[in-house]
Amino acid sequence: MKLKVKFFDELTAREVYEIVRARQEIFLMEQNIVCRDFDGVDYDSLHCFIEQDGKIMAYLRAYRESEDVKIGRVLSITHGIGLGAMLMRESIPEIKQKFGCTTITLHAQSHAEGFYKRLGFKTTSPIFLEEGIPHVTMELAD
């Protein structure tokens, strides 16, 4: 399994479909999050994903919001085998290079805060609700 990194216009129709399918599987079906997934952010995002046999196994998107570069929609189809960590470790240098940034922020579900801390992120906010789920803002800076 190898990381793929593409801006929206570089994605194939099949990749877009598989990305949306994976996001729906995790956020809607597994986590019961009902939100507007088609938020327009994908068009200006860098999409980082690991696929196997044409199926998305892990995914995230990175995008610029004002001066910040943010990571969102982080998912792993199979939990507990290190795909999420592999995705993050390999994506971060790509994101920094493509966006020319040294700092990356994200909103982590509070139960995943330890996962992101192990990757070097630091918590920068108190807990807040996003889509009814407790989150914290985290930052990774050089």
Side-chain angles (χ1 to χ4, degrees), residues 108-141:
Q109 291 183 11
S110 58
H111 71 83
E113 190 174 359
F115 167 78
Y116 292 110
K117 281 184 177 181
R118 287 189 295 278
L119 293 166
F121 284 82
K122 292 184 178 18
T123 304
T124 59
S125 79
I127 293 175
F128 60 92
L129 290 180
E130 188 171 274
E131 304 299 339
I133 296 172
H135 282 72
V136 292
T137 300
M138 300 188 79
E139 184 178 278
L140 178 70

Side-chain angles (χ1 to χ4, degrees), residues 21-122:
R21 186 197 55 73
R23 288 178 5 186
Q24 184 178 38
E25 182 176 330
I26 295 300
F27 300 120
L28 182 62
M29 305 305 292
E30 181 180 302
Q31 297 182 359
N32 200 29
I33 298 172
V34 179
C35 69
R36 185 173 178 213
D37 190 35
F38 290 98
D39 56 7
V41 175
D42 289 317
Y43 292 122
D44 298 316
S45 293
L46 183 67
H47 300 268
C48 303
F49 55 98
I50 298 169
E51 67 179 7
Q52 184 176 37
D53 300 325
K55 182 179 177 185
I56 301 293
M57 301 304 293
Y59 168 84
L60 65 79
R61 71 179 183 186
Y63 57 97
R64 189 173 296 282
E65 186 175 85
S66 297
E67 298 301 312
D68 296 333
V69 173
K70 293 188 168 188
I71 290 177
R73 303 287 200 264
V74 180
L75 67 86
S76 179
I77 295 295
T78 306
H79 305 296
I81 63 169
L83 278 178
M86 176 182 164
L87 172 72
M88 292 295 291
R89 277 193 309 273
E90 293 183 14
S91 296
I92 288 168
E94 294 284 340
I95 293 165
K96 287 180 177 181
Q97 189 270 323
K98 301 273 190 212
F99 286 102
C101 65
T102 57
T103 303
I104 299 171
T105 62
L106 55 80
H107 290 176
Q109 291 183 11
S110 58
H111 71 83
E113 190 174 359
F115 167 78
Y116 292 110
K117 281 184 177 181
R118 287 189 295 278
L119 293 166
F121 284 82
K122 292 184 178 18

